[in-house]
Amino acid sequence: MVDFHSHSTASDGMLTPAALATLARSQGVTALALTDHDTVAGLDEAHQACRVLGIRFFGGIELEIAFDEGEFHLLGLGLQQWTDGWVVGLKHLQQLRARRNLTMFRRMQEAGIQGEFEQIEALAQGGQVGRPHFARFLVEKGKVETIQDAFNHFLGRGRLFYEPKAGLELGEAISMIHEAGGLAVVAHPKTLRLSVANLAVRLPEWKLLGLDGLEAWHPGVEPRVARRLEALARSFGLKVSGGSDFHGETRPDRQLGRSSGGLPLGEAILEGLFPVPGETSA
């Protein structure tokens, strides 16, 4: 199996990059991309661990894109280098993320929830603070029973504590990914909140900006929808990607190497994205 969408403690995942690689190996994953949100901090550790374990590693990232209709996340897959040129763009995104986190925390305080922001930072284990950490904080405070309840009632789009994230312009993000030697792929298109017909209008526009592919296979859609998205991507000459969007115990329904409908992600995904054998390197 392969997996081109996963997260570690460098952003909002529950496993360290090395532990993620170890779990991937135990579950039969032979090719793995680490795609943490707006950071490349975990790539060196994951790369080293995968090398030891015999897993083909692909450096990755998941970038926030400015988009009014919904949430637009762009995957950078197969990065050949992840230093220097990323510094300015990622620093800007991290500043926007920090501002958003403080806004959400202030809303929680105004709602009467007691605590310190440092408690949420501690849940991030040194990684970037994101909504899953706020969700765990709410569980610990007894405000909700589960992580999913926290999103359903407080942290999901349009809910009481939700604050939309600002992001990069699409063209800028695609350029960053290409300059690092990677492929720019639209992540989980369902969150764009576009119909398939509207997505069909946008994809050729985005392809003109340099877009390389679409993540058709994601746990957020049923297999019939994933197949439709795959056909759509191919109709525009775009590559097809797939991943589990694995985070760990915060999303126990997502398993490494498996995607829509729990189906395994086979070598065909890898061959379609990176037809030339070989491991990417820092």
Side-chain angles (χ1 to χ4, degrees):
M1 295 187 294
V2 304
D3 199 324
F4 283 94
H5 193 160
S6 67
H7 297 278
S8 76
T9 50
S11 65
D12 58 349
M14 296 297 294
L15 299 180
T16 65
L20 178 72
T22 299
L23 179 63
R25 179 70 178 83
S26 72
Q27 295 190 349
V29 173
T30 56
L32 177 71
L34 175 60
T35 54
D36 279 315
H37 294 281
D38 304 331
T39 182
V40 292
L43 296 188
D44 286 337
E45 180 183 330
H47 185 204
Q48 181 178 357
C50 284
R51 187 188 298 277
V52 171
L53 294 165
I55 297 173
R56 288 180 63 184
F57 178 71
F58 294 84
I61 194 168
E62 186 171 2
L63 296 172
E64 188 77 24
I65 304 301
F67 191 67
D68 292 336
E69 289 93 330
E71 292 186 2
F72 192 152
H73 292 181
L74 185 71
L75 295 171
L77 300 176
L79 307 180
Q80 298 296 319
Q81 60 85 20
W82 42 78
T83 56
D84 301 334
W86 289 87
V87 174
V88 175
L90 292 185
K91 184 177 181 180
H92 175 59
L93 278 175
Q94 288 157 9
Q95 289 171 340
L96 294 174
R97 178 180 289 271
R99 190 179 309 159
R100 179 205 197 202
N101 287 337
L102 292 177
T103 298
M104 289 195 295
F105 185 69
R106 184 175 64 251
R107 288 177 182 166
M108 293 171 68
Q109 289 181 309
E110 291 169 350
I113 297 174
Q114 302 297 314
E116 302 295 331
F117 186 69
E118 287 75 14
Q119 293 173 268
I120 299 177
E121 289 181 313
L123 293 173
Q125 302 178 58
Q128 293 191 112
V129 173
R131 281 187 296 166
H133 305 119
F134 281 90
R136 290 174 61 197
F137 179 75
L138 290 172
V139 171
E140 290 186 359
K141 289 291 182 179
K143 301 301 179 182
V144 292
E145 292 187 2
T146 68
I147 299 291
Q148 192 57 52
D149 286 342
F151 277 89
N152 291 343
H153 299 296
F154 296 111
L155 298 169
R157 187 178 180 88
R159 300 302 181 183
L160 184 60
F161 303 145
Y162 178 80
E163 173 70 12
K165 284 187 289 186
L168 299 172
E169 293 300 320
L170 179 59
E172 176 187 3
I174 290 174
S175 294
M176 287 173 60
I177 290 168
H178 287 174
E179 287 169 8
L183 300 175
V185 175
V186 175
H188 41 66
K190 179 181 178 180
T191 64
L192 293 168
R193 294 179 177 266
L194 297 175
S195 67
V196 173
N198 285 335
L199 183 61
V201 173
R202 297 297 185 91
L203 286 177
E205 297 173 357
W206 297 339
K207 186 178 179 182
L208 289 175
L209 295 176
L211 183 70
D212 298 297
L214 181 73
E215 186 182 46
W217 291 89
H218 183 274
V221 297
E222 297 177 357
R224 63 177 179 81
V225 178
R227 293 187 184 97
R228 189 177 179 189
L229 290 170
E230 179 172 347
L232 182 64
R234 296 195 190 286
S235 72
F236 292 113
L238 294 169
K239 293 177 180 290
V240 174
S241 186
S244 64
D245 203 355
F246 179 82
H247 284 73
E249 65 182 34
T250 57
R251 294 302 305 264
D253 55 315
R254 297 181 179 180
Q255 301 298 314
L256 284 169
R258 296 184 178 274
S259 190
S260 176
L263 295 174
L265 292 159
E267 290 285 323
I269 294 288
L270 169 62
E271 293 166 359
L273 289 169
F274 302 101
V276 178
E279 181 183 25
T280 62
S281 59

